[in-house]
Amino acid sequence: MNGAEALVEMLIGYDTQVIFGLPGDTTVGFYDALHAAAGRIEHVMARDERCAAYMADVYSRLSGKPGVCEGPSGGGATYLLPGVVEANGSSVAMIALTTDNPLSYEAQGALTDLPQTRIFGGVTKWSAFPKSADMVPHFLRRAFRLATGGRPGAVHLAMPKDVLAQQLSANPDLHVEEACKLWPSYRTRPDADSVTRAAKRLLAAQRPVIIAGGGAVSSGAGTELMALAELVGAPVGTTINGKGAVAETWPLSLGVTGGNGGRPYANRLIQQADLVLYVGTKVSYVDSDNWRVPSQANPPKILQIDVDASELGNNYPIDEGLCGDARLTLLDLLAAVKDCGRMEPVQSQWRSHAIAARQAWHEHARREAAAAGRPIMAQRVIHELQLALPAEAVVVCDPGTPTPYMAAQYELDRPGRRVISPRAQGSLGYAIPGVVGARYACPDLPVVGLTGDGSYAMSVGDLITVARTGGPTVLILFNNSCFGWIKELQKLYHGERYFSVDFRECLNYLQVAEGFGLPGEQVNDPSELGPALRRALASDSPSMIEIMTAAEHESVPPPPVAPWERMASDAGLAS
């Protein structure tokens, strides 16, 4: 058995069902081992390493298995980086494999020579370079353990070409760790005394709020989160990555909070809270509307749950930090609250106030969603998606136009990760490859990708991968003929001095998609949206809908981005 064969056997041992990547000179030995294992593991050929990493990222988020992507040396390794950085920053378990020149070429200026571990080391949990075939099994075990344990993230292994070809010693140790086949692995619990103190603080609060992040979703903490909130009468908001932590149709759900996609009433309630419990979130400037929600200068009592101790108290002073897995910690906190005598849900004025604010916002949002003008408003698109999609559908969003509207206005009726967007780096070009990863993770579910015309151009080559993958997949293109997010910034902060943001070329997006094997149609009238969506969803093969939408700078009211809404309100432009 050579190093490449050991690598493939170890991946199969970890129940890896699919690898996303594309070949290069240094990869052929690895591909030969994959060829020999046909039927036991599948390889998806992408058209760009960056797209391969995005596929693995979305696959990991939805399947609970570490996503595996691969690329060759040189440019292949550097192209893989954006997706690896996104996964690591969003705490998504990923194994990134690159191949490299033979060890004998080291320091000889060989073609594609790069210090791969130095490049990947700063953007992953671990980057390593096994120098013998016998090291491969141990390195792969460590890679899966690190990717899935603690704060999940990306791990990188650079595999020299001659190491892949080298024979292992007799009777190699190919055992795998069962706990690391899924993430999060090796879940931890906080100190019992700190849980008791947190429970007492929670019970003493008159206006508590809970904010859940991506860690709550990854941990599967929805049931425990909703039970605790009901017991103490705390409305629950989420970050964008935390969308799906609770059912958003539940009366105590505030929806997404913060600066991007946050609902205004939700942000106001957080500012009025006398205690905020954070669960599995880094509390970034976006999550807190630049630390206005709540006030960083004059914060309420703050409790924080996180699996990573370095995040506790990092951006707000905390009154109690609980270091542990979100679901297990919430279970302990729920038990501690009951031990303190709270057995029945609180029916407080604060709870009633939160529910009333939510209902008033819904009435306002329904009026906005009924907009019948042209170009089509993005909120109308989201409204029609809500009506057309079954509850179990998966939606992958590019940043820009789709993200804030989906965050604020599309509601999930059950806990779980069903709406995905790249929030660590906000890189364009995520949705097209993302739907491929979603299709492999959820082969029987409808999958929808929301992309802008700027994003479309960045990953258009992998439309062929979408077509080849098949299944009921719908790509929705928001065509506003510009980099809309940047154009809005130039409007608001730079005196409408628009520069290098408008697409002046005449590009037939549908014709391009059809050339890659995706049939489609264009929608110009809001009344045509629903029928077009239902036609696309009824198909068993991928298709695309191009929607002629208003750009951010043309939207009245502005997109649900808190700073923009404040500026529009000051100018008297908000609806």
Side-chain angles (χ1 to χ4, degrees):
M1 175 181 287
N2 64 26
E5 291 163 341
L7 176 60
V8 171
E9 285 302 315
M10 291 291 292
L11 289 170
I12 293 171
Y14 275 102
D15 290 344
T16 303
Q17 296 176 337
V18 60
I19 302 173
F20 305 92
L22 62 159
D25 290 1
T26 54
T27 318
V28 289
F30 179 44
Y31 275 41
D32 199 43
L34 286 170
H35 180 272
R40 301 169 64 206
I41 189 169
E42 183 173 357
H43 183 273
V44 175
M45 183 183 68
R47 292 301 179 93
D48 181 283
E49 289 88 352
R50 178 186 54 142
C51 289
Y54 288 152
M55 293 173 191
D57 173 344
V58 174
Y59 175 84
S60 180
R61 296 187 200 221
L62 291 168
S63 70
K65 297 181 177 182
V68 181
C69 57
E70 59 86 15
S73 59
T78 58
Y79 291 163
L80 200 67
L81 271 169
V84 175
V85 174
E86 175 60 44
N88 195 57
S90 289
S91 304
V92 173
M94 176 185 284
I95 309 293
L97 302 172
T98 58
T99 49
D100 206 351
N101 287 317
L103 290 171
S104 58
Y105 288 6
E106 193 170 6
Q108 294 186 32
L111 179 69
T112 76
D113 184 39
L114 284 174
Q116 289 194 29
T117 55
R118 284 169 53 196
I119 292 171
F120 281 88
V123 295
T124 61
K125 294 183 72 175
W126 184 54
S127 178
F129 188 79
K131 293 187 176 182
S132 74
D134 285 330
M135 298 170 72
V136 170
H138 172 70
F139 274 45
L140 205 66
R141 279 190 293 271
R142 183 169 175 79
F144 272 86
R145 192 181 314 122
L146 287 170
T148 61
R151 183 182 76 83
V155 170
H156 166 250
L157 293 180
M159 311 293 295
K161 186 176 180 179
D162 50 352
V163 169
L164 291 172
Q166 187 181 66
Q167 293 295 308
L168 274 73
S169 303
N171 302 315
D173 181 6
L174 302 183
H175 84 272
V176 300
E177 294 172 89
E178 290 292 326
C180 301
K181 291 181 177 181
L182 297 172
W183 63 280
S185 64
Y186 297 121
R187 297 177 184 238
T188 57
R189 292 187 125 103
D191 172 72
D193 290 340
S194 63
V195 172
T196 300
R197 290 192 297 269
K200 290 178 178 177
R201 289 188 180 278
L202 197 55
L203 287 169
Q206 298 299 307
R207 299 181 305 281
V209 169
I210 300 173
I211 301 177
V217 185
S218 299
S219 179
T223 299
E224 294 75 17
L225 193 54
M226 293 168 72
L228 179 65
E230 288 281 3
L231 203 54
V232 300
V236 179
T238 76
T239 66
I240 296 182
N241 265 348
K243 190 174 179 71
V246 297
E248 293 176 304
T249 52
W250 171 54
L252 281 178
S253 169
L254 296 177
V256 171
T257 65
N260 188 343
R263 297 177 177 179
Y265 77 90
N267 287 343
R268 287 193 297 271
L269 283 164
I270 296 168
Q271 289 172 322
Q272 296 164 10
D274 63 355
L275 180 143
V276 177
L277 167 61
Y278 289 107
V279 183
T281 171
K282 298 174 185 176
V283 201
S284 74
Y285 81 95
V286 174
D287 301 334
S288 60
D289 186 13
N290 205 22
W291 295 292
R292 295 166 57 99
V293 183
S295 166
Q296 192 178 48
N298 187 28
K301 299 291 184 184
I302 292 181
L303 313 177
Q304 188 175 2
I305 297 171
D306 205 279
V307 73
D308 183 352
S310 68
E311 297 297 339
L312 296 175
N314 190 48
N315 287 323
Y316 281 91
I318 58 174
D319 294 273
E320 195 68 54
L322 307 175
C323 188
D325 171 78
R327 183 172 65 82
L328 295 186
T329 302
L330 286 168
L331 273 172
D332 291 349
L333 192 53
L334 188 60
V337 167
K338 291 178 179 178
D339 286 345
C340 292
R342 177 65 56 79
M343 302 301 294
E344 298 296 330
V346 164
Q347 304 294 330
S348 64
Q349 185 177 358
W350 174 245
R351 174 191 171 113
S352 301
H353 174 54
I355 292 173
R358 168 192 166 85
Q359 290 171 340
W361 179 88
H362 270 285
E363 292 171 7
H364 177 74
R366 277 192 290 270
R367 290 194 297 272
E368 281 190 1
R374 301 187 191 184
I376 298 170
M377 303 299 286
Q379 54 264 49
R380 178 64 183 267
V381 180
I382 305 306
H383 174 70
E384 295 294 344
L385 276 173
Q386 189 84 69
L387 294 176
L389 290 179
E392 67 274 14
V394 174
V395 183
V396 183
C397 304
D398 269 308
T401 301
T403 289
Y405 287 103
M406 279 297 291
Q409 298 175 353
Y410 187 86
E411 290 196 323
L412 302 172
D413 71 351
R414 65 198 73 179
R417 185 170 273 132
R418 285 291 178 267
V419 174
I420 298 170
S421 59
R423 297 316 308 154
Q425 301 300 319
S427 301
L428 302 185
Y430 183 84
I432 289 175
V435 299
V436 175
R439 172 59 56 219
Y440 275 91
C442 307
D444 301 320
L445 298 183
V447 174
V448 174
L450 305 183
T451 186
D453 40 358
S455 291
Y456 180 93
M458 292 189 179
S459 51
V460 65
D462 269 290
L463 287 175
I464 189 64
T465 315
V466 176
R468 188 174 69 244
T469 302
T473 300
V474 183
L475 287 173
I476 296 176
L477 172 65
F478 291 73
N479 185 348
N480 57 26
S481 300
C482 64
F483 286 122
W485 189 279
I486 307 306
K487 195 166 185 177
E488 176 72 356
L489 294 175
Q490 291 176 343
K491 172 188 174 182
L492 293 175
Y493 302 103
H494 297 278
E496 300 186 24
R497 295 186 293 277
Y498 302 128
F499 182 79
S500 216
V501 289
D502 293 300
F503 305 147
R504 305 188 187 282
E505 60 272 10
C506 296
L507 177 59
N508 189 323
Y509 294 102
L510 284 177
Q511 195 172 55
V512 171
E514 288 167 358
F516 281 105
L518 271 73
E521 60 179 296
Q522 187 182 88
V523 175
N524 294 279
D525 190 301
S527 65
E528 299 170 357
L529 274 170
L533 284 168
R534 285 185 281 276
R535 284 192 294 272
L537 289 165
S539 174
D540 287 332
S541 58
S543 62
M544 189 175 98
I545 300 172
E546 179 185 14
I547 304 174
M548 310 310 289
T549 55
E552 284 86 342
H553 72 289
E554 300 171 318
S555 299
V556 178
V561 178
W564 300 355
E565 290 176 322
R566 283 194 293 274
M567 294 184 75
S569 179
D570 292 344
L573 298 177
S575 65

